[in-house]
C-alpha cells in the first residue's frame, strides 16, 4: 500500500502567495547544518537549530556588555548556563528581520569541536512564516515565505512525499508523534542535535525494543561532555511508515525542554535521521514532508493498526 500526497501538494501550491523564495548553500560539518548569515552587519557561520526557539549568539564573538541578564538555561548536558539577551538585526541572503531577540551563551567549544568559527545558532521561531527545505544531497537550504495570513506553502519537489507528518509545538521545537512497541511518544525535531535521543525513563518500559550498542561522549550547548549509552531502537513507526532500526542515545530529559505544563518530551529526532532524506519543514501548516534520497527506502509501511499506550 502506497500513500501519495500529490493532490494535497497541488492544492497547497495553488493556494499559496509566495513573496520570497531563496535557495542558499549550507555546509554539513559532522552532522550539523551550517549556514552563513549576518547579525548586525557581521557575517559568520551559524548552526540551523530547530531545537531552540530564538537566535543564540556565541559570547566568544558577541560581548555581553550592555546585554540584559535573563537567568539560566539547561543544556543537553544537563548543566546550567547563564543567559544574556541582545536585540539584533538579522539577514539571511535577501531575507531581513529587525529588532529580534537573541540570547548570548558560551559556545566556544563548538568552534573547537567543528574546526571553524561558529558564531551562533538560528532557532525555529525565526521561520514561523516560512517553509524550510533541506536538500542534503545538494547541500542547499530553500526558504519560502508567503504573504500575510496564508496558511499554505508550496512544496518544491515534483515527487509526492514519501512521508508527511503533522507536528505540534511542544517545548520550543516541532514535535511529532511516533509509536514504539505500541506506545505513543512525543519526539522533538532538532536539526541542532547530531544524534537521536530517547528519554532514559523509557529504557525499562521499552526494554524489548532496545538493543544495547555502546557508550559514547555527547557534547551539547554546555561544553561539558557526558558519557551516554547508545542503543538501537527497534520497530519505530512514523505516520504510515515503519523504521526497523534507529540509533538513539539514552538521556534523562526532565531537566530541560519543558513545555508550559512542565511535561518533557520523550525524545529527539536529530540530523542523524534527517540526513537520509530531503526534508521540508512547513511552519505555517505545521507539517514535515520527507523524500528518500537517491531512491533509498529505509522506511517501509507501518502495520495497519497501532495501539496507543501512554
Amino acid at each position: 500500500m502506497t500513500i501519495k500526497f500529490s493532490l494535497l501538494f497541488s492544492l497547497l501550491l495553488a493556494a499559496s502567495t509566495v513573496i520570497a523564495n531563496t535557495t542558499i548553500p549550507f555546509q554539513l560539518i559532522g552532522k550539523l547544518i551550517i549556514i552563513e548569515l549576518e547579525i548586525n552587519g557581521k557575517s559568520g557561520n551559524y548552526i540551523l537549530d530547530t531545537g531552540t526557539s530564538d537566535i543564540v549568539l556565541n559570547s566568544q564573538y558577541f560581548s555581553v556588555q550592555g546585554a540584559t541578564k535573563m537567568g539560566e538555561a539547561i543544556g543537553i548536558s544537563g548543566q546550567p548556563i547563564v543567559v544574556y539577551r541582545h536585540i539584533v538585526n538579522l539577514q539571511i541572503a535577501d531575507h531581513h528581520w529587525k529588532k529580534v531577540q537573541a540570547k548570548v551563551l558560551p559556545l566556544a567549544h563548538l568552534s573547537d569541536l567543528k574546526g571553524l568559527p561558529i558564531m551562533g545558532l538560528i532557532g525555529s521561531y525565526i521561520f514561523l512564516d516560512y517553509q524550510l527545505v533541506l536538500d542534503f544531497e545538494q547541500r542547499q537550504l530553500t526558504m519560502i515565505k508567503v504573504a500575510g495570513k496564508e496558511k499554505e506553502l508550496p512544496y518544491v519537489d515534483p515527487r509526492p512525499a514519501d512521508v508527511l507528518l503533522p507536528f505540534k509545538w511542544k517545548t520550543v521545537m516541532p514535535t511529532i508523534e511516533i509509536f514504539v512497541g505500541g506506545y505513543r511518544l512525543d519526539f522533538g525535531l532538532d536539526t541542532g542535535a547530531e544524534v537521536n535521543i530517547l528519554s532514559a525513563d523509557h529504557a525499562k518500559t521499552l526494554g524489548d525494543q532496545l538493543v544495547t550498542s555502546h557508550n559514547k561522549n555527547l557534547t551539547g550547548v554546555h561544553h561539558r561532555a557526558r558519557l551516554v549509552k547508545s542503543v538501537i531502537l527497534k520497530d519505530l513507526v512514523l505516520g504510515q511508515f515503519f523504521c526497523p532500526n534507529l540509533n538513539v542515545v539514552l538521556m534523562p530529559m526532565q531537566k530541560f525542554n519543558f513545555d508550559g505544563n512542565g511535561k518533557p518530551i520523550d525524545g529527539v529526532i536529530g540530523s542523524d535521521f534527517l540526513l537520509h532524506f530531503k526534508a521540508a519543514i512547513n511552519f505555517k501548516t505545521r507539517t514535515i514532508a520527507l523524500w528518500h534520497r537517491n531512491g533509498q527506502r529505509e522506511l517501509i509501511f507501518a502495520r495497519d493498526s497501532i495501539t496507543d499506550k501512554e
Side-chain angles (χ1 to χ4, degrees):
M1 172 182 175
T2 301
I3 296 177
K4 299 296 184 181
F5 302 101
S6 55
L7 176 58
L8 173 62
F9 285 8
S10 297
L11 293 175
L12 292 177
L13 181 60
S16 302
T17 305
V18 176
I19 60 174
N21 185 332
T22 304
T23 298
I24 62 172
F26 66 76
Q27 298 182 68
L28 201 59
I29 306 298
K31 296 179 182 179
L32 295 177
I33 301 163
I34 311 295
I35 62 175
E36 185 174 343
L37 55 87
E38 292 184 9
I39 297 286
N40 292 341
K42 182 188 297 185
S43 180
N45 301 309
Y46 289 76
I47 297 171
L48 180 64
D49 185 0
T50 59
T52 191
S53 56
D54 303 306
I55 301 168
V56 180
L57 303 177
N58 187 347
S59 59
Q60 182 180 14
Y61 303 103
F62 293 89
S63 173
V64 298
Q65 184 175 359
T68 303
K69 185 175 180 179
M70 298 179 64
E72 292 186 343
I74 302 297
I76 198 169
S77 65
Q79 301 296 325
I81 310 164
V82 178
V83 181
Y84 294 86
R85 181 184 68 181
H86 274 306
I87 302 300
V88 302
N89 297 325
L90 164 67
Q91 180 176 352
I92 306 177
D94 54 353
H95 299 252
H96 298 262
W97 294 260
K98 294 186 179 298
K99 296 182 178 180
V100 295
Q101 176 176 282
K103 299 172 183 176
V104 185
L105 302 176
L107 301 175
H109 65 289
L110 291 179
S111 297
D112 296 337
L113 286 172
K114 299 306 175 184
L116 79 164
I118 303 295
M119 299 186 69
L121 319 172
I122 297 298
S124 54
Y125 286 9
I126 293 297
F127 302 107
L128 292 181
D129 292 327
Y130 284 78
Q131 177 175 252
L132 299 184
V133 181
L134 297 167
D135 189 332
F136 290 98
E137 188 171 5
Q138 299 297 324
R139 300 291 193 268
Q140 291 181 338
L141 168 67
T142 299
M143 303 184 299
I144 305 172
K145 184 179 181 181
V146 297
K149 297 181 179 180
E150 291 283 352
K151 295 297 184 182
E152 295 85 15
L153 291 174
Y155 291 86
V156 295
D157 196 295
R159 301 169 297 167
D162 293 308
V163 186
L164 184 63
L165 302 169
F167 73 78
K168 58 186 176 182
W169 288 106
K170 190 173 182 181
T171 69
V172 296
M173 67 183 82
T175 303
I176 60 175
E177 289 185 353
I178 71 165
F179 293 83
V180 180
Y183 288 85
R184 185 185 69 81
L185 304 173
D186 290 328
F187 270 47
L189 184 74
D190 187 355
T191 59
E194 292 187 271
V195 296
N196 308 303
I197 301 171
L198 175 67
S199 172
D201 289 343
H202 296 303
K204 184 175 181 179
T205 304
L206 300 175
D208 291 341
Q209 310 299 130
L210 301 177
V211 177
T212 302
S213 178
H214 59 276
N215 293 329
K216 66 187 303 181
N217 282 314
L218 183 66
T219 302
V221 170
H222 194 282
H223 68 276
R224 295 180 186 175
R226 62 184 300 170
L227 191 66
V228 295
K229 181 179 291 186
S230 177
V231 301
I232 297 173
L233 182 60
K234 300 188 299 180
D235 300 342
L236 175 75
V237 177
L238 304 90
Q240 296 297 316
F241 288 83
F242 174 69
C243 179
N245 297 295
L246 182 71
N247 293 319
V248 299
V249 298
L250 297 177
M251 286 186 55
M253 303 190 72
Q254 296 91 339
K255 293 183 178 180
F256 68 102
N257 286 340
F258 289 88
D259 64 14
N261 297 320
K263 184 180 179 181
I265 57 177
D266 300 302
V268 166
I269 292 291
S271 56
D272 179 64
F273 176 83
L274 290 175
L275 284 172
H276 298 283
F277 302 89
K278 179 178 180 179
I281 307 172
N282 188 325
F283 291 101
K284 279 274 192 173
T285 61
R286 298 186 181 183
T287 55
I288 299 167
L290 301 174
W291 293 264
H292 291 87
R293 292 176 56 188
N294 299 323
Q296 297 176 23
R297 303 290 298 185
E298 290 88 358
L299 301 183
I300 60 177
F301 291 102
R303 293 176 289 272
D304 292 335
S305 61
I306 302 171
T307 302
D308 188 350
K309 302 177 185 177
E310 298 190 43

